[in-house]
Amino acid sequence: MPLIKWNDSFSVNIVEIDLQHQKLVSLINDLNQAMLQGMGKVALTNILNELVAYTVNHFGTEEKYFAQYKYPDSDSHKKEHLAFVEKVASFKKDFDSGKLGLSIEVMQFLSDWLQNHIKGTDKKYGPFFNTKGLK
Ligand SMILES: [Fe+2]
């Protein structure tokens, strides 16, 4: 069973962003599945690296639109992105060095953060961008 199941309540009403969010959901589900199956460190590292890279790229897309359309809540939104990137980077460092393993708690943190961020913070920009013609 996937950790996160996509449904319409995740939609921000912008196709490009919804597709990127779906990819993030699927990477977190893949990582969770790999952890539960007891896959080796190389396999977990590969998925984790992809998740980190895709997250950075995705935040870049959102922030590009914030700048392009002068989104008024850009600063506080970007702060949430930065805090998450720093948290995940420190987790990845501990994982790479063997100090910390992937666990249900770590996966739950990633899953909760993404769902809360999309449904709380990201959904706020949907109507704003829609009025700018971004759909
Ligand atoms: Fe965001």
Side-chain angles (χ1 to χ4, degrees):
M1 206 179 70
L3 190 58
I4 311 173
K5 206 163 163 4
W6 179 273
N7 61 54
D8 274 351
S9 71
F10 286 93
S11 177
V12 298
N13 215 27
I14 298 161
V15 174
E16 181 187 7
I17 304 287
D18 281 348
L19 288 173
Q20 291 188 358
H21 285 156
Q22 283 167 9
K23 173 78 177 167
L24 285 172
V25 163
S26 114
L27 284 168
I28 287 179
N29 285 335
D30 287 351
L31 189 61
N32 187 58
Q33 198 57 34
M35 177 205 63
L36 292 176
Q37 285 171 350
M39 284 174 79
K41 183 153 183 176
V42 173
L44 293 179
T45 301
N46 285 339
I47 303 172
L48 186 58
N49 286 345
E50 200 186 342
L51 176 61
V52 169
Y54 197 85
T55 301
V56 170
N57 176 69
H58 163 65
F59 288 169
T61 301
E62 288 189 349
E63 291 175 15
K64 174 190 78 180
Y65 289 130
F66 295 169
Q68 189 175 335
Y69 296 108
K70 302 192 180 1
Y71 179 53
D73 286 334
S74 169
D75 283 353
S76 63
H77 195 138
K78 280 161 75 176
K79 270 185 199 146
E80 282 191 34
H81 287 172
L82 184 63
F84 184 70
V85 167
E86 283 172 351
K87 172 98 184 165
V88 171
S90 97
F91 162 68
K92 196 181 132 39
K93 189 165 150 264
D94 289 346
F95 177 77
D96 289 344
S97 72
K99 253 203 260 174
L100 181 77
L102 269 186
S103 62
I104 288 170
E105 289 75 19
V106 169
M107 291 313 309
Q108 201 60 55
F109 167 78
L110 294 174
S111 162
D112 287 348
W113 189 89
L114 185 66
Q115 295 188 65
N116 290 333
H117 183 76
I118 293 174
K119 290 184 180 180
T121 308
D122 286 344
K123 282 196 95 149
K124 287 185 197 151
Y125 61 52
F128 175 82
F129 285 143
N130 287 166
T131 66
K132 306 285 175 187
L134 191 64
K135 285 175 181 147

